[in-house]
Amino acid sequence: MAIAANVNGKAVSIAAEPDTPLLWALREELGLTGTKFGCGIAACGACSVHVDGQVVRSCSVAVREIDGKTVTTIEGLGATDGTLHPLQAAWIEHQVPQCGYCQSGQIMAAAALLKTKPAPSDADIDEAMTNICRCGTYTRIRAAIHSVAGG
């Protein structure tokens, strides 16, 4: 069964089993390796992507659930000309990554937050950013989000 979706602005057909996690279809079938495997139980957020504008943990979304939908991964977050998304630039400016493993998921979660709350408070950020950073860069993550939000 082929799954038709739009991934990062391109129509794709995914020939995976319907219950295959979206994470594996993105990485193995489409070659989009920016989305990381962290835990496999939707707890850590390293695999966060957007499906129809909503942040989801791709390790727990079956590929059949994206049929006809739009998926954005870290590779598709910036402009098509290669310009970084403001959050990606802020991550660099604030030197957010330490090991960097979780950061694509962190950025995707932050992008979803800023769509719904363009000027989030610290409490808003704490509530929305449930991704785990094993290196503990939460203070820099918060600073980067505030810099993009203008605060």
Side-chain angles (χ1 to χ4, degrees):
M1 171 180 179
I3 305 298
N6 181 302
V7 178
N8 296 335
K10 296 178 184 168
V12 299
S13 179
I14 300 170
E17 291 294 321
D19 61 345
T20 299
L22 173 59
L23 170 65
W24 299 120
L26 292 171
R27 290 182 60 81
E28 295 176 2
E29 192 159 331
L30 301 179
L32 299 170
T33 58
T35 304
K36 304 298 183 199
F37 173 80
C39 66
I41 59 171
C44 76
C47 66
S48 295
V49 300
H50 297 173
V51 175
D52 284 348
Q54 300 296 311
V55 68
V56 300
R57 307 243 166 127
S58 63
C59 71
S60 66
V61 173
V63 75
R64 72 176 167 273
E65 296 175 48
I66 66 150
D67 194 34
K69 296 186 178 181
T70 299
V71 177
T72 305
T73 69
I74 192 70
E75 292 93 343
L77 194 60
T80 56
D81 68 359
T83 303
L84 296 177
H85 184 278
L87 281 168
Q88 293 169 313
W91 248 242
I92 294 166
E93 177 185 339
H94 291 274
Q95 299 180 4
V96 173
Q98 189 167 321
C99 83
Y101 196 81
C102 70
Q103 296 304 320
S104 61
Q106 297 280 4
I107 291 170
M108 296 307 289
L113 165 64
L114 290 175
K115 278 186 179 181
T116 60
K117 293 198 177 195
S121 65
D122 285 347
D124 293 331
I125 293 170
D126 292 346
E127 182 180 329
M129 298 298 294
T130 60
N131 296 30
I132 296 170
C133 175
R134 290 169 179 89
C135 299
T137 66
Y138 301 110
T139 303
R140 293 182 291 203
I141 289 169
R142 183 183 288 161
I145 293 169
H146 280 304
S147 74
V148 172

